[in-house]
């Protein structure tokens, strides 16, 4: 249709679309502030909130106690390990010294050293006993630490079982919170969509169309940005159901609109040609002709074919001849393009958009 508009009219229309965009922008900003002040999903809820206090305190106390014991026994085990390593090193050093002395005695074979041999052997046995005692203490501490670690593990397993048992309640609470937020947003968005739908059907071509389209853009933004991302997901049911409902509504509107259009076209094609021309505005006729379609029935027509003067589909006249110079011209033109003579019998409907 833009090809049939005057240049100032084109710029005015572009300016009005900017008005529509600005109106939608400020409405969206206001709507975002309103939605931002609505209750949000309760993300502070945790599974632990749905465990019985007595059970939670009991198991947590067991975990703390077991962890403290494991920490203490771990320190005792480390001390025992250090002591065992020291005794072991001391015994190894004493044994090396003893073996060197024994080798020397065998070389000299001095009988007076038998008493010293016994003393040295007794001392080495005492060091070995100290090493064995340190090893036994280490094994004891390791066993104690192992039992403490197992106690921690058992307590954590019990806490995990309590969490698993409380998980369904937590999940239900989170879903309820999400559904509540969704209903708040729906309570605001749904009326906007209804009003936008009514405006689209009734007012989109009215004098105040920039504000109508601005509100429609705002309602679509509120639906797709402020509402759709917060659709609760119960296994995908809600999203699919909402999608089905929206698709059915849009499909129903499209089917009804198509049937009305086809019925209206049938009625128009059954009217006399003069009456059909009276109902066609000048701009609409030029727009359709620029697209190589019949202005009356909107079916394709080869307008470049100079032998075609009437639509082969509905019979409306497309070309005639100027009454002054006989030049072939469009039947919808107001003036002859060759001599400028006004078209004979031009109706009021064709003279104004």
């Amino acid at each position: 249709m833009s090809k049939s508009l005057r240049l100032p009219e084109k710029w005015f229309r572009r300016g009005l679309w900017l008005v529509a965009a600005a109106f939608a922008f400020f409405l969206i900003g206001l709507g975002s502030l309103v939605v931002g002040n609505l209750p949000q999903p309760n993300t502070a809820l945790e599974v632990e909130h749905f465990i019985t206090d007595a059970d939670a305190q009991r198991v947590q106390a067991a975990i703390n106690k077991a962890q403290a014991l494991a920490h203490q026994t771990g320190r005792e085990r480390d001390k025992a390990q250090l002591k065992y390593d020291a005794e072991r090193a001391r015994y190894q050093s004493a044994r090396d010294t003893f073996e060197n002395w024994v080798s020397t005695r065998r070389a000299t074979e001095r009988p007076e050293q038998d008493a010293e041999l016994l003393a040295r052997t007794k001392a080495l046995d005492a060091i070995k006993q100290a090493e064995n005692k340190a090893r036994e203490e280490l094994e004891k501490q390791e066993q104690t630490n192992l039992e403490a670690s197992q106690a921690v593990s058992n307590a954590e397993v019990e806490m995990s079982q309590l969490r698993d048992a409380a998980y369904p309640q937590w999940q239900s609470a989170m879903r309820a919170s999400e559904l509540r937020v969704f209903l708040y947003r729906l309570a605001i968005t749904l009326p906007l969509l209804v009003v936008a739908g009514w405006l689209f059907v009734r007012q989109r071509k009215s004098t105040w169309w920039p504000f109508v389209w601005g509100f429609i853009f705002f309602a679509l933004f509120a639906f797709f940005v402020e509402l759709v991302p917060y659709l609760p997901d119960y296994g995908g049911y809600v999203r699919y159901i909402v999608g089905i409902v929206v698709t059915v509504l849009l499909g129903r509107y499209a089917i009804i609109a198509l049937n009305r259009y086809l019925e209206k076209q049938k009625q128009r094609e059954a009217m006399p040609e003069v009456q059909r021309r009276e109902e066609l505005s000048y701009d609409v006729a030029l727009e359709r002709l620029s697209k190589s379609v019949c202005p009356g029935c909107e079916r394709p027509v080869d307008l470049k074919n100079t032998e075609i003067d009437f639509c082969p589909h509905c019979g409306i006249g497309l070309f005639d001849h100027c009454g002054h110079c006989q030049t072939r011209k469009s039947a919808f033109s107001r003036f002859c393009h060759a001599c400028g003579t006004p078209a004979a019998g031009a109706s009021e409907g064709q003279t104004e958009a």
Side-chain angles (χ1 to χ4, degrees), residues 36-325:
N37 291 326
L38 293 176
Q40 302 296 323
N42 190 359
T43 56
L45 286 177
E46 296 181 358
V47 178
E48 287 76 7
H49 295 159
F50 298 89
I51 300 176
T52 306
D53 291 340
D55 291 337
Q57 293 175 1
R58 174 180 57 81
V59 177
Q60 188 61 47
I63 291 176
N64 295 337
K65 181 179 179 181
Q67 288 177 342
L69 181 60
H71 185 65
Q72 180 181 356
T73 55
R75 290 200 306 267
E76 297 296 331
R77 180 199 58 193
D78 293 340
K79 291 180 181 179
Q81 181 70 52
L82 291 174
K83 185 177 180 181
Y84 171 68
D85 292 340
E87 293 293 341
R88 184 179 177 184
R90 189 163 72 95
Y91 172 74
Q92 188 63 41
S93 176
R95 182 177 180 82
D96 292 340
T97 302
F98 178 76
E99 289 178 351
N100 291 334
W101 183 85
V102 169
S103 299
T104 303
R105 180 184 179 283
R106 286 176 180 172
T108 58
E109 294 184 355
R110 296 172 60 185
E112 65 273 12
Q113 292 180 336
D114 289 344
E116 185 178 357
L117 175 62
L118 295 176
R120 285 178 177 269
T121 302
K122 186 177 181 180
L124 185 62
D125 290 341
I127 295 173
K128 183 62 177 177
Q129 289 178 0
E131 178 192 355
N132 293 337
K133 185 177 180 180
R135 185 181 66 253
E136 291 173 358
E137 181 65 21
L138 174 61
E139 292 173 351
K140 178 182 177 181
Q141 293 299 333
E142 287 179 342
Q143 181 63 30
T144 304
N145 182 254
L146 177 61
E147 293 174 355
S149 299
Q150 290 176 345
V152 173
S153 178
N154 294 335
E156 289 178 346
V157 168
E158 186 175 0
M159 178 61 78
S160 177
Q161 292 173 348
L162 291 176
R163 290 195 186 97
D164 292 341
Y167 182 78
Q169 299 179 19
W170 171 81
Q171 196 173 35
S172 299
M174 288 298 297
R175 286 177 176 175
S177 176
E178 292 174 356
L179 181 60
R180 184 167 57 253
V181 172
F182 170 72
L183 292 177
Y184 286 143
R185 292 173 179 264
L186 183 63
I188 294 178
T189 306
L190 187 59
L192 296 179
L193 289 176
V194 173
V195 173
W198 181 83
L199 290 175
F200 177 79
V201 174
R202 300 292 184 182
Q203 302 293 326
R204 69 179 185 273
K205 295 182 180 180
S206 67
T207 304
W208 310 103
W209 65 265
F211 300 108
V212 172
W213 280 104
F215 188 87
I216 291 173
F217 294 151
F218 160 63
L220 292 176
F221 180 88
F223 176 76
F224 287 105
V225 177
E226 302 292 354
L227 180 65
V228 170
Y230 290 89
L231 283 176
D233 187 4
Y234 298 104
Y237 293 119
V238 174
R239 295 178 183 273
Y240 287 120
I241 290 174
V242 171
I244 291 171
V245 171
V246 172
T247 304
V248 169
L249 292 177
L250 293 178
R252 181 178 180 276
Y253 171 78
I255 292 171
I256 292 175
L258 175 62
N259 290 333
R260 286 178 179 173
Y261 168 78
L262 294 176
E263 185 63 28
K264 192 174 181 180
Q265 285 297 108
K266 280 185 180 180
Q267 294 175 0
R268 285 181 176 177
E269 292 177 10
M271 293 178 182
E273 181 178 351
V274 175
Q275 186 176 355
R276 292 164 63 190
R277 286 181 176 277
E278 289 178 352
E279 292 187 355
L280 274 174
S281 70
Y282 178 71
D283 289 335
V284 170
L286 292 185
E287 178 194 7
R288 293 176 181 175
L289 286 172
S290 67
K291 297 178 180 178
S292 296
V293 297
C294 171
C297 64
E298 300 183 58
R299 294 186 177 93
V301 179
D302 185 9
L303 300 178
K304 296 181 180 179
N305 189 345
T306 58
E307 296 181 358
I308 295 179
D309 289 337
F310 295 87
C311 174
H313 308 291
C314 68
I316 194 172
L318 302 176
F319 295 93
D320 57 13
H321 293 79
C322 175
H324 181 263
C325 66

